[in-house]
Amino acid sequence: MTWHDGPRGGDPHRFGTDAFYAALGRAFVAMCAVVPVLFLVEALDVGLRLDLDVTAGIIPHRIQGLDGVFFSPFLHAGWNHLYSNSIPLILLGTFVLAAGTRRFLWSTMVIILVSGLGVWFTGSPNSVVVGASGVIFGYLGILLTRGVVERSWWNFAVVLLVGLLYGWQLLGILPTDERISWQGHLFGLLGGVVAAILFRRRVETGTPDRLGSPPVTLP
């Protein structure tokens, strides 16, 4: 079925409508509110010397490092690491979130699980992996796959824009630097592809959206 937004007018999933831009604006505000939380976590970790990177990061092949699958996206190996992730996280997260809050939350959970477990099974047991990079690549995978399964050209446009801005970072899915968890990037991208297919928006007449997701709203 096709989304209609009643008195607000327009389809929030159709590029160019007022509802689309409204959903995009609210999503941008929400993502801008998420990033300061990551900075707060890093400030507490550094200021109180909690060593969260080691105690809550992913340690591949070790049971004690398995809980890092859930915690590692919120941790970073220093301020530079966090800075480099912040802008692409806001940019990509905005477009993913604009398609619906529930779809965003479920998709993020799938990405975290696929990326984290992929790192845990295939990463080096002598390493500790932290950072939101897997989630970022997951969002990239979502937008790219939605462009295909939902026939949404503007998703392709976003991916092209990100490619132009951060093309060098996309090489992170290849084993080029032992300090970078290419496994997390690769499995994050795959997790995004899976999430986009699982929670794709149905466009056929009479077929409801898998999650029935309205545009994102803020209290």
Side-chain angles (χ1 to χ4, degrees), residues 35-52:
V35 170
V37 175
L38 301 181
F39 275 88
L40 177 60
V41 171
E42 184 66 18
L44 292 174
D45 186 24
V46 173
L48 300 179
R49 298 182 180 180
L50 299 176
D51 289 329
L52 293 178

Side-chain angles (χ1 to χ4, degrees), residues 185-203:
H185 297 173
L186 176 60
F187 282 101
L189 185 70
L190 294 176
V193 171
V194 171
I197 294 173
L198 286 177
F199 309 125
R200 64 189 179 277
R201 178 171 174 260
R202 302 292 189 176
V203 295

